[in-house]
Amino acid sequence: MCYRDRLIVLILFCVGTIGYCQEKITLSGVITDHNSNETLIGVTVIISDLNIGTTTNDYGFYSITLPKGTHSIMVSYLGYQSIIQEFTFSRATKQNFKLHPSTELLQEVVLQKDVEKLNVKSPQMSVNNLSIATIKKIPAVLGETDIIKSLLLLPGVSNAGEASSGFNVRGGATDQNLILLDEATIFNSDHLFGFFSVFNSDAVKNVKLYKGGIPARYGGRVSSVLDIYQKDGNSNNFHLTGGIGVLSTRLLAEGPMVKDKSSFLIGGRSSYAHLFLKFGDNDNTAFFYDLNTKLNFKINDKNSIYLSGYFGRDVFDVDESFKNSYGNTLANLRWNHLFSDKLFSNLSLIYSDYYYGLTLDFVGFKWNSGIQNFNVKYDLRHYLSNGLELQYGLQNIYYKFNPGEVIPQNELSQVNYLKLIDKYANETAAYIQVDQQLTDRITLAYGLRFSHFNRLGQSEYYTYEDDMPVRFNESMGIYEKATPIDTVSSSKSTSLITFNNFEPRFALSYLIDDSQSVKASYNRMSQYLHLISNTSSPTPLDVWTPSGPYIKPQILDQYAIGYFKNFKQRYSLEAELFYKYIKNRINYIDGADLIANQAIEQVILNGKSRAYGMEILFKKSSGNLQGWLSYTLSRSEQKTPGRTPDEPGINHGKWYKTPYDKTHDISLTANYSLSDHWSLGSTFIFQTGRPTTYPVGQYQYEGTTFPNYGSRNEDRLPYYHRLDFAATYIPHPEKKKGWRGEWVFSVYNIYNRKNAASLTFREDVETKQNEAVKLSIFGIIPSITYNFRF
């Protein structure tokens, strides 16, 4: 073949391969809010003429590879005006974008209001994002915006009932949720025993809940990951934001330290209802307060430093004889570094502490317990090409557990000093994840996490015959505490036992067309920490304990498949089926004493649990009327079989419903923009009652009547349902600067439904007949809140 023919073949090859011979360049940058310079998470950047795109990471950074030349770029984010603009690129370019809130109209470039659309192409499934603007429109008890309560309106998410702590995801327990605030672990997410969450919505930038298909960078829990980021602080202008409600007030200040270079944020909340008790000669006290802080410094285009913190406390004081205080303390120092326009890194040094204190003056002692961890993590994100992206990193967490300490208050105290043995552990992990587009229709996300857990030595621990801290008494047919055969001491620099687990993750999406896709995912996760609690809703007195010689780590395998569709530019549908199986789920023997137990392994048996079901989410994301309909059909069960053929296990070794099992869970959320001045919001919830165990008979012994209970959790409380309503009034919607306020009028449980929190059984004193007594927490609760911004 002559030289000319070879040249013609080469030209034809280049044309046929759609531009592969064109020289590529990298476009990268950071996308921020125009008014505050806040980095925006999850912004979509699309090269329209090439039909390729990417999204910003947790720090607002994006990177995309494209051929030299002129291209049309669209930048879109929910709640902001989209940008459509043409650029000509001849070399690698850094292009930052500033997005204007959707209420502003500008003419410099082509702008259009962005409509939330489901990302049907991404393999990520079983994940929910809620914007802070949406959360603030949802009616809340006593008018206090609550992130955790808002999550309960999503499919697959529930809790044990009104005024209960935590939340349950796909039939999992509350301790199986990894809750992160600026990457730091929250061990108790509630104030006032579940009335409110610890998150100040004014200080929060982004909320994302992973229920399945969890990326490899997360680990340590087997049910879900709630990842929340605080705002960075406005580096353009000083602002005050706050609100005054029936029960609490809040105030947040943010502004620049050096304009466009550094900023601060400090926000506080406090309840004050207890102050009104003083007017009625009531000396009882019950209140909470918390503080959010954030500093950020942009050193140069390649380096940024962030310092964030949180401190919260709940305080109860009953007649100066019973005092209770508990809460979280968090701190995180982060360094963002850009090695190149394709390699982004983040180094974090994190401290997290949960403290619980109890003082009983009438007995004369004080109780302290808690958990601390010190966390170092280094994450990198490598944008190799448009169809291939790597995420990889390392993490190490050191734990100190204080199961409890009893301190006599004075010489007249009725108790002696007691210190439960401190426990120590270290958890190390490494991960890698690949996001790869195989074809125009198939996109994959696959990765592997390796976790290593080292239960460190302690001042003393017990050993047992046959390594069984629980023995079965065949003559009485019950489980009992085993008697230790020896007490061993070891330094915390030694190891009691280690666990190693490989945790593969896989997700796939198949694009049927531009508006619909089918997705599937699998993930294995390990959990080495356990919350010792035998209540359906955890209490602050519950303590955390690490896996060890007698308590094995929980291991999850979860599978999910789903169908996802956008239609008519404003509606979306998500339908998923899931199945999850967990090994080594702890259970408690009958009559287990969990408080101040020096050897908790003596009342614990290892079992297993499973959950499966269907979730449907239908959303309307534009127009005056917006909202969603959520439905979950599911089953959550637990089983603890006997360790030998001669042992019955718990509940005769049969599967039984967990306290988190709710067959049907329906919620309807609607927001309607009536005018520039008025907007309305409403939610309706209907749920199957929580499983419980009722007496099936009774017997008498020496003149005393005792109930005889049936199988565990074979009964249920009555159905739960309620309707909430809120109306928001903005007196001066035309004001964009200066003092701006709004009034929020809300009614919780508008038709005064007396939902059952529990049912107890007793004998009527007069009739001598047995009767069931229902306990209800809330009836109808109206409230009013004034929010402001300056």
Side-chain angles (χ1 to χ4, degrees), residues 227 368 492:
D227 198 1
N368 292 316
K492 62 181 180 180

Side-chain angles (χ1 to χ4, degrees), residues 31 39-44 56 75-83 99-100 102 112-116 131 205-206:
I31 301 178
T39 56
L40 300 177
I41 303 172
V43 179
T44 301
T56 56
V75 182
S76 61
Y77 191 55
L78 181 64
Y80 287 80
Q81 295 289 337
S82 297
I83 294 178
L99 296 184
H100 295 263
S102 56
Q112 60 183 32
K113 185 175 180 179
D114 185 50
V115 176
E116 182 182 11
S131 70
K205 174 166 63 175
N206 190 72

Side-chain angles (χ1 to χ4, degrees), residues 122-126 170 210-218 431-438 441-449 502-510 518-525 556-562 564 576-577 579:
S122 168
Q124 181 66 65
M125 61 183 300
S126 307
R170 289 183 169 176
Y210 297 89
K211 300 177 295 186
I214 298 174
R217 66 181 181 273
Y218 298 109
Y431 74 89
I432 183 171
Q433 177 161 319
V434 181
D435 296 311
Q436 183 177 13
Q437 183 175 343
L438 289 184
R441 294 184 179 273
I442 300 176
T443 306
L444 303 177
Y446 51 94
L448 180 67
R449 183 182 181 92
F502 288 96
E503 305 173 24
R505 317 288 171 90
F506 177 80
L508 173 148
S509 70
Y510 176 77
V518 176
K519 302 183 183 184
S521 69
Y522 163 78
N523 62 279
R524 165 167 284 204
M525 301 186 75
L556 161 83
D557 289 295
Q558 180 172 201
Y559 309 84
I561 186 170
F564 304 82
E576 296 189 33
L577 300 174
Y579 177 85

Side-chain angles (χ1 to χ4, degrees), residues 136 152 187 441 488 547 607:
K136 289 185 175 182
L152 303 180
F187 287 98
R441 294 184 179 273
V488 180
S547 297

Side-chain angles (χ1 to χ4, degrees), residues 330-505:
L330 311 175
N332 185 5
L333 176 63
R334 285 175 288 168
W335 170 42
N336 285 175
H337 177 66
L338 191 62
F339 285 100
S340 70
D341 53 12
K342 288 181 174 290
L343 182 57
F344 180 93
S345 69
N346 179 73
L347 174 65
S348 298
L349 306 177
I350 306 167
Y351 170 76
S352 178
D353 171 86
Y354 174 68
Y355 164 81
Y356 177 83
L358 176 66
T359 301
L360 297 177
D361 287 338
F362 64 92
V363 182
F365 79 88
K366 181 178 181 180
W367 165 275
N368 292 316
S369 65
I371 176 175
Q372 292 178 307
N373 74 49
F374 303 87
N375 184 356
V376 180
K377 61 193 295 284
Y378 192 43
D379 303 289
L380 298 102
R381 193 161 184 169
H382 205 157
Y383 302 85
L384 296 178
S385 68
N386 292 332
L388 187 62
E389 179 183 314
L390 296 182
Q391 298 181 55
Y392 46 92
L394 301 168
Q395 182 177 24
N396 188 80
I397 308 175
Y398 174 78
Y399 297 98
K400 178 184 177 182
F401 302 83
N402 174 15
E405 181 180 22
V406 178
I407 305 172
Q409 291 291 89
N410 51 57
E411 295 180 353
L412 301 178
S413 176
Q414 303 175 27
V415 299
N416 298 320
Y417 176 81
L418 172 65
K419 177 68 177 78
L420 302 185
I421 299 167
D422 287 342
K423 302 173 184 179
Y424 305 89
N426 196 82
E427 183 177 353
T428 304
Y431 74 89
I432 183 171
Q433 177 161 319
V434 181
D435 296 311
Q436 183 177 13
Q437 183 175 343
L438 289 184
T439 69
D440 290 340
R441 294 184 179 273
I442 300 176
T443 306
L444 303 177
Y446 51 94
L448 180 67
R449 183 182 181 92
F450 172 75
S451 59
H452 170 81
F453 190 82
N454 187 2
R455 173 68 183 274
L456 303 174
Q458 57 194 54
S459 58
E460 62 179 58
Y461 67 96
Y462 301 135
T463 59
Y464 304 89
E465 184 177 355
D466 299 326
D467 286 333
M468 286 191 174
V470 178
R471 62 182 291 268
F472 180 67
N473 187 326
E474 292 188 20
S475 61
M476 299 185 65
I478 60 173
Y479 286 97
E480 298 176 331
K481 299 178 181 180
T483 302
I485 59 175
D486 196 8
T487 301
V488 180
S489 297
S490 63
S491 167
K492 62 181 180 180
S493 62
T494 62
S495 176
L496 292 181
I497 191 172
T498 61
F499 301 96
N500 298 295
N501 283 291
F502 288 96
E503 305 173 24
R505 317 288 171 90

Side-chain angles (χ1 to χ4, degrees), residues 57-94:
N57 67 8
D58 293 336
Y59 302 94
F61 178 78
Y62 76 95
S63 178
I64 191 168
T65 302
L66 65 161
K68 287 183 177 180
T70 301
H71 302 285
S72 177
I73 298 178
M74 183 173 73
V75 182
S76 61
Y77 191 55
L78 181 64
Y80 287 80
Q81 295 289 337
S82 297
I83 294 178
I84 302 174
Q85 197 169 1
E86 279 197 352
F87 293 88
T88 300
F89 304 104
S90 59
R91 64 179 186 275
T93 302
K94 181 176 182 179

Side-chain angles (χ1 to χ4, degrees), residues 769-790:
Q769 298 294 315
N770 292 332
E771 63 179 3
V773 180
K774 180 176 71 172
L775 172 65
S776 299
I777 304 296
F778 292 138
I780 183 172
I781 303 178
S783 64
I784 180 173
T785 303
Y786 178 71
N787 299 318
F788 60 87
R789 179 175 176 81
F790 175 75

